[in-house]
Amino acid sequence: MPKGKPEVVPDDGLTTRQRRNRPVLAVHTGPMKGKSTAAFGMALRAWNQGWSIGVFQFVKSAKWRVGEEAAFRALGELHECTGQGGPVEWHKMGEGWSWSRKRGTEDDHAANAREGWAEIRRRLAAERHDFYVLDEFTYPLHWGWLDTDEVVTALRERPGRQHVVITGRNAPDALIEAADLVAESTKVKHPMDAGQKGQRGIEW
Amino acid sequence: MPKGKPEVVPDDGLTTRQRRNRPVLAVHTGPMKGKSTAAFGMALRAWNQGWSIGVFQFVKSAKWRVGEEAAFRALGELHECTGQGGPVEWHKMGEGWSWSRKRGTEDDHAANAREGWAEIRRRLAAERHDFYVLDEFTYPLHWGWLDTDEVVTALRERPGRQHVVITGRNAPDALIEAADLVAESTKVKHPMDAGQKGQRGIEW
């Protein structure tokens, strides 16, 4: 349903075009693993629009999302070479943020998460990207490493037309409240229930 | 959790490795739009493994998934040129299946769906791809255009190690029963509820 008809037309003083083009804050939460997978699926569409994509992985292990990272890095290189699609930046906390020269805080995950968010806040203020994936970003919020109110305010007040997708379990209520789109994935059946371990190409 | 520990170890006579490498039949169903998005996110990981990817879109409008299609065609071309990742084929019912010379059945969606499934069945028998996305494939099943029992039997008995992801609402019970992984996406909040129409780069 790419061009569906909304059920309600709000009295917000905006034209349909203005309303359509409002930047989206999406939160993918819930117990199932498709949360990030769906965020990267959305990023494919963003890439095809020629948008600048910034991925920020708030995970400890740098081994996660290797498949997605390789594919998006390839799409980013394709953009450099041929102009097709948009540019891609991929940053991960697990190996130390690539813009940071500090290597002393490697074991302080809270400090690393704060450093990641500080950079994202700077980029939002500078309108650096068109589409942000903040992968597993709910955890530093849930664990209190970041101030949820401060994060939500910065997201709400971000300038221009910057789309943000946040993934992870236990999204704080204030973030859900601020989001335009919230998707919750539910497990109905999973191979691990039948004693099957995760496999290459399917789970990572 | 790329390498989680399963809660149960089944008494199925398989080694952990054999069990891990069993091909997966996944069904993404439910009312929310992330179903296909998550399937294409999975396909990114498959591409990075160098797997052969076959996408079959069972939708009427050829305009759907333009972003994903462009990105995967780009990844497929990158494979042709550099050997990176795997090959990609993308077929869609909406413009007539690309392998078919018939153009006379354009308005007969049931016949087109049957022709698509017949080709997929041939490819499964020939082990043509490693990873299949059968996008919106639940609809021809739900509408009775295809025989669900015949489809489920062909999927269950597919040879080798071929992963299949099926998306769409109203997945028939027999398909859910046969699947190894079933993910249901639930809408918590969507911009259309606030009167916002779908927008380029976000919804298509």
Side-chain angles (χ1 to χ4, degrees), chain B residues 10-24:
Chain B
D11 183 23
D12 55 11
L14 297 175
T15 66
T16 300
R17 177 183 292 269
Q18 285 171 328
R19 206 177 295 117
R20 165 172 285 179
N21 289 334
R22 264 190 311 208
V24 167

Side-chain angles (χ1 to χ4, degrees), chain A residues 2 8 19-20 22 37-38 45 48 64 68 70 161 176-177 179 182 184 186 189 195-196 198-199 202 204, chain B residues 2 8 19-20 22 37-38 45 48 64 68 70 161 176-177 179 182 184 186 189 195-196 198-199 202 204:
Chain A
V8 200
R19 205 177 296 117
R20 164 172 286 178
R22 265 191 309 209
T37 313
R45 296 199 281 268
N48 187 52
W64 282 24
E68 291 90 334
R161 193 173 165 204
I176 299 279
E177 175 60 31
V182 179
E184 189 157 334
T186 314
K189 196 173 175 185
Q196 185 166 352
Q199 64 180 304
I202 297 298
W204 70 88
Chain B
V8 200
R19 206 177 295 117
R20 165 172 285 179
R22 264 190 311 208
T37 313
R45 296 199 281 268
N48 187 51
W64 282 25
E68 292 90 333
R161 193 173 166 208
I176 298 281
E177 175 61 31
V182 179
E184 189 157 333
T186 314
K189 196 173 176 185
Q196 185 165 355
Q199 65 179 302
I202 296 296
W204 69 90

Side-chain angles (χ1 to χ4, degrees), chain B residues 56-75:
Chain B
F56 302 84
Q57 287 190 277
F58 284 80
V59 290
K60 282 183 281 184
S61 167
K63 287 187 187 156
W64 282 25
R65 323 274 183 243
V66 284
E68 292 90 333
E69 180 181 352
F72 272 99
R73 286 196 189 278
L75 289 169

Side-chain angles (χ1 to χ4, degrees), chain A residues 70-82:
Chain A
F72 272 99
R73 285 196 188 278
L75 289 170
E77 282 162 28
L78 204 66
H79 173 76
E80 298 291 317
C81 297
T82 68

Side-chain angles (χ1 to χ4, degrees), chain A residues 127-203:
Chain A
E127 301 186 41
R128 173 84 166 262
H129 303 289
D130 303 297
F131 191 93
Y132 297 73
V133 179
L134 312 189
D135 194 30
E136 311 284 7
F137 186 60
T138 55
Y139 297 99
L141 296 171
H142 181 64
W143 295 327
W145 295 348
L146 298 173
D147 180 57
T148 297
D149 287 341
E150 189 259 299
V151 167
V152 167
T153 301
L155 288 169
R156 278 190 193 273
E157 295 177 353
R158 70 194 188 281
R161 193 173 165 204
Q162 303 180 87
H163 303 284
V164 180
V165 183
I166 294 172
T167 75
R169 295 181 188 210
N170 302 318
D173 291 344
L175 182 63
I176 299 279
E177 175 60 31
D180 307 294
L181 188 154
V182 179
E184 189 157 334
S185 60
T186 314
K187 181 180 79 167
V188 177
K189 196 173 175 185
H190 194 277
M192 282 203 192
D193 300 337
Q196 185 166 352
K197 286 185 166 194
Q199 64 180 304
R200 206 167 46 132
I202 297 298
E203 325 257 358

Side-chain angles (χ1 to χ4, degrees), chain A residues 18-37:
Chain A
Q18 285 170 329
R19 205 177 296 117
R20 164 172 286 178
N21 289 335
R22 265 191 309 209
V24 167
L25 172 62
V27 176
H28 292 191
T29 190
M32 190 76 179
K33 280 201 278 192
K35 299 183 287 294
S36 301
T37 313

